């Protein structure tokens, strides 16, 4: 089974490069995920291919119009069923590992990227099933946020990471931060790697890592332990 993600955006060029490098590129090449970018302007009508307009009631900032978005979503939905229509917005539910895990089990997703003052509320009421924020700060558009959601989700798909266990030991996977890691050389400018890691004693190493995870979480993110 492979996942399909359709991203609706006014700036497709901003979303190209994340899928043309590294792990995401490899996942696409292996056929584990398909990512399709749709330029909202292609669904706009009129000479000016207008996708945004002034807001009713006045006020600064443009609002993305419902009609082009409806056209694009309806065309996609006519071709297959979607598990979720996600809208990227700073007032959505904040992305976390649990949400990424959940989304990685889906088959077909639409991600709508907001711009300007956002989309006409009726888009959210009529089409959107999930609203996601990547944090309490405002970006100039939903594209980079969508790329982050895609990265967090795609790396969890079976077969994407080389070492199948490595996503399981990520920070946050058990509400714990990951322990510190080291590689060669064993000593650098007088700074030594913890002796236990060179001991070859796997059970003791595991115990040390668990204890380091817990300590790190207590120090840096006590909220995760509540
Ligand atoms: N669009 C603008 N800011 C955003 C955020 N923080 N998360 C998701 N989408 C956004």
């Amino acid at each position: 089974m492979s996942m399909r993600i359709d991203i609706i955006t006014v700036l497709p060029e901003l979303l190209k490069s994340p899928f043309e490098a590294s792990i995401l590129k490899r996942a696409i090449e292996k056929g584990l995920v398909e990512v399709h970018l749709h330029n909202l302007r292609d669904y706009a009508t009129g000479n000016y291919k207008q996708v945004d307009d002034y807001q009713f009631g006045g006020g600064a900032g443009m609002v993305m119009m419902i009609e082009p978005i409806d056209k694009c979503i309806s065309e996609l939905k006519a071709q297959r069923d979607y598990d979720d229509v996600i809208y990227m917005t700073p007032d959505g539910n904040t992305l976390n590992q649990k949400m990424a895990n959940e989304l990685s089990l889906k088959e077909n997703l639409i991600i709508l990227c907001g711009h300007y003052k956002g989309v006409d509320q009726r888009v959210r009421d009529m089409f959107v099933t999930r609203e996601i924020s990547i944090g309490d700060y405002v970006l100039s558009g939903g594209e980079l946020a969508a790329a982050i959601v895609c990265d967090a989700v795609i790396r969890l798909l079976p077969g994407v990471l080389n070492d199948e266990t490595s996503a399981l030991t990520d920070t946050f996977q058990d509400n714990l931060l990951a322990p510190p890691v080291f590689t060669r050389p064993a000593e650098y400018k007088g700074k030594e790697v913890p002796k236990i890691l060179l001991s070859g004693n796997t059970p003791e190493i595991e115990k040390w890592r668990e204890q380091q995870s817990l300590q790190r979480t207590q120090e840096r993110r006590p909220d995760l332990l509540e």
Side-chain angles (χ1 to χ4, degrees):
M1 195 189 85
S2 78
M3 176 180 262
R4 179 185 169 110
I5 304 175
D6 289 277
I7 306 180
I8 304 172
T9 167
V10 289
L11 282 175
E13 60 277 19
L14 191 53
L15 267 166
K16 285 212 178 92
S17 68
F19 301 104
E20 288 170 353
S22 183
I23 287 178
L24 301 192
K25 180 185 181 188
R26 208 157 11 97
I28 292 168
E29 284 171 352
K30 283 192 193 167
L32 302 170
V33 63
E34 284 178 33
V35 179
H36 299 268
L37 303 179
H38 305 277
N39 191 340
L40 197 56
R41 226 166 272 284
D42 296 339
Y43 297 84
T45 49
N47 289 341
Y48 297 104
K49 296 283 174 201
Q50 194 179 353
V51 294
D52 60 325
D53 209 339
Y54 295 100
Q55 54 177 315
F56 282 128
M62 306 294 274
V63 175
M64 288 170 72
M65 300 161 81
I66 190 167
E67 194 182 354
I69 297 172
D70 180 9
K71 281 203 176 122
C72 184
I73 291 178
S74 300
E75 192 178 296
L76 289 170
K77 281 186 170 173
Q79 295 165 55
R80 67 195 65 76
D81 289 331
Y82 283 90
D83 300 292
D84 266 316
V85 177
I86 298 168
Y87 174 49
M88 301 310 306
T89 175
D91 59 7
N93 292 114
T94 310
L95 179 69
N96 56 22
Q97 193 59 47
K98 179 165 169 275
M99 199 189 289
N101 292 348
E102 248 171 67
L103 291 172
S104 74
L105 302 174
K106 311 281 185 186
E107 222 168 316
N108 298 313
L109 296 172
I110 290 174
I111 304 182
L112 172 63
C113 304
H115 253 270
Y116 322 112
K117 281 279 158 200
V119 296
D120 187 309
Q121 179 59 38
R122 290 167 294 183
V123 169
R124 300 168 77 159
D125 298 341
M126 292 169 69
F127 306 116
V128 171
T129 59
R130 212 185 248 268
E131 302 191 327
I132 302 179
S133 163
I134 61 159
D136 288 346
Y137 41 84
V138 178
L139 304 168
S140 56
E143 282 75 14
L144 297 178
I148 283 167
V149 169
C150 288
D151 187 298
V153 169
I154 291 170
R155 65 188 290 284
L156 297 175
L157 300 178
V160 170
L161 296 184
N162 288 330
D163 178 355
E164 283 280 73
T165 63
S166 68
L168 296 175
T169 56
D170 284 343
T171 276
F172 299 124
Q173 274 306 3
D174 338 294
N175 259 357
L176 286 177
L177 302 184
V181 292
F182 299 87
T183 187
R184 289 188 297 170
E187 191 234 293
Y188 187 70
K189 295 187 176 172
K191 255 323 230 174
E192 285 179 6
V193 167
K195 286 273 178 296
I196 178 74
L197 296 178
L198 310 176
S199 70
N201 186 338
T202 313
E204 283 302 313
I205 290 171
E206 275 316 300
K207 226 191 277 172
W208 180 85
R209 286 184 170 148
E210 279 167 33
Q211 176 260 322
Q212 288 287 315
S213 265
L214 195 59
Q215 186 183 327
R216 224 173 224 206
T217 312
Q218 273 160 350
E219 284 166 8
R220 300 177 182 205
R221 293 294 306 277
D223 57 296
L224 291 175
L225 299 169
E226 277 157 18

